[in-house]
Amino acid sequence: MSVLSANIPAIAGGRPMFEERVPIVSPEGLPGEEFLHDVRKILNSRQLTNATFVRRLEEAAEEYLGVAHCVAVSSCTAGLVLTLQALDLQGEVILPSFTFHASAHSLLWNGLKPVFADCDPETFCVDPRSIKLQLSARTAAILAVHLFGNPASIVEIQTIASDASIPLICDAAHAFGSDINCRRVGNFGVAEVFSFSPTKLLVAGEGGMIATRDADLARKLRIARNYGDSGNYDPESAGLNARMSEFHAALAIHGLNGLDARIDRRNHIRRQYEQRLGAIPGLSFQHIPPGNRSSCKDFAVLIDEAAFGKSRDWLCDALEKENIQVRRYFYPPVHRQKLYRDIWDKRPLPVTESISDSILNLPIYSTLADESVEKICDAILRCHEFARKKKLTRAQRA
């Protein structure tokens, strides 16, 4: 690469920073040949669903999280749906709009009305002050979200829920392995629900896990995941087929090995990004409060167009042309999506709007090399320099 082309971003005709595409995510902790041994064992057992390996995964998760009960399910969404159903709620549930829409979908499946709260400008998680403003006599529960693995202000939110005598449920899809003051996520609220899909740190292929300290709730959930049938062919509830297969459970069991090391590696990459990009005007990051440990499921930057020199969408296109895959999570926010526009009570959500309109997620996974992280930062830096010079030229012409 020539000195001249090295200073020109690919979007302006320069040579891409990477010859091959850098994915935004790569499945973590996948096993080798030892997994095939488990597959043969499962096939020989003739029990393909909800058997030995599922229970082994549940027990391993209970030990890792330090929680009394873990119930494996087919997905995080199914886990949320069944948890809300088991709590027999009616009315409204407060949740953030800045989340994946499956959080809100779980409410619609239960005939509950989503009431959207604003998010905190630093942590990006739901703001307890906004939750308080949305409380009413119709509020049946609070659904908090640990966004990108960064734990929500759960102690404060739990106090709000307790004072209102309503349950707190947590969408912990991103947060298996996250801590709040050295206590694992999974130990808060009535229940917390995790995802083991391919974009997460613990991968089962597809699958999820409900963690709870409530033995009766765990019992109901084990029945509900099997069509609501406890085994007597006389259902107790209108449950789902939300069972986890033995193959998915075996994959997740192997993924538990080295999980904390992968989280440490992701946090190292996060700090590397923040150190290199922090000096660029117009870029800011998600704040992880002292005492919290984030799984760093995602890494996001916010782009202030005036200070950076170009818009978030321009930088998104520019990095894609550098062969760097990026995403705008979560854009648009749930309350602006067509399924929820008419449900939204039209209370302003200014922080949610601002973050959603300016966020850009960069590649992060434990196998991402430091050299690649540096090159991604170099690509963003040369995009900023290009934007700054263009802005300066326009100002001089004016």
Side-chain angles (χ1 to χ4, degrees), residues 89-94 112 136-142 165-167 169:
L89 303 175
Q90 293 182 346
E92 300 176 348
V93 175
I94 299 172
L112 297 164
S136 75
R138 298 179 299 277
T139 305
I142 298 169
S165 299
I166 56 176
I169 306 102

Side-chain angles (χ1 to χ4, degrees), residues 300-321:
V301 295
L302 300 184
I303 296 96
D304 181 333
E305 182 175 353
F308 184 78
K310 288 285 188 180
S311 70
R312 181 273 307 273
D313 291 342
W314 180 88
L315 182 59
C316 179
D317 291 341
L319 292 178
E320 288 286 347
K321 287 181 170 58

Side-chain angles (χ1 to χ4, degrees), residues 42-89:
I42 292 166
L43 292 174
N44 289 335
S45 76
R46 317 302 288 178
Q47 295 184 32
L48 306 184
T49 297
N50 212 29
T52 303
F53 281 88
V54 168
R55 188 57 201 146
R56 279 177 53 191
L57 174 61
E58 291 174 336
E59 290 171 349
E62 288 163 359
E63 181 179 357
Y64 179 85
L65 298 174
V67 68
H69 308 283
C70 283
V71 181
V73 285
S74 57
S75 71
C76 180
T77 306
L80 288 169
V81 169
L82 292 178
T83 299
L84 291 163
Q85 181 198 58
L87 293 172
D88 194 22
L89 303 175

Side-chain angles (χ1 to χ4, degrees), residues 21-39:
R21 187 170 174 81
V22 179
I24 191 169
V25 68
S26 180
E28 299 265 347
L30 299 184
E33 289 294 320
E34 66 273 18
F35 174 65
L36 299 180
H37 174 74
D38 287 340
V39 170

Side-chain angles (χ1 to χ4, degrees), residues 85-108:
Q85 181 198 58
L87 293 172
D88 194 22
L89 303 175
Q90 293 182 346
E92 300 176 348
V93 175
I94 299 172
L95 76 162
S97 174
F98 193 65
T99 182
F100 186 53
H101 39 248
S103 305
H105 288 359
S106 69
L107 304 181
L108 296 190

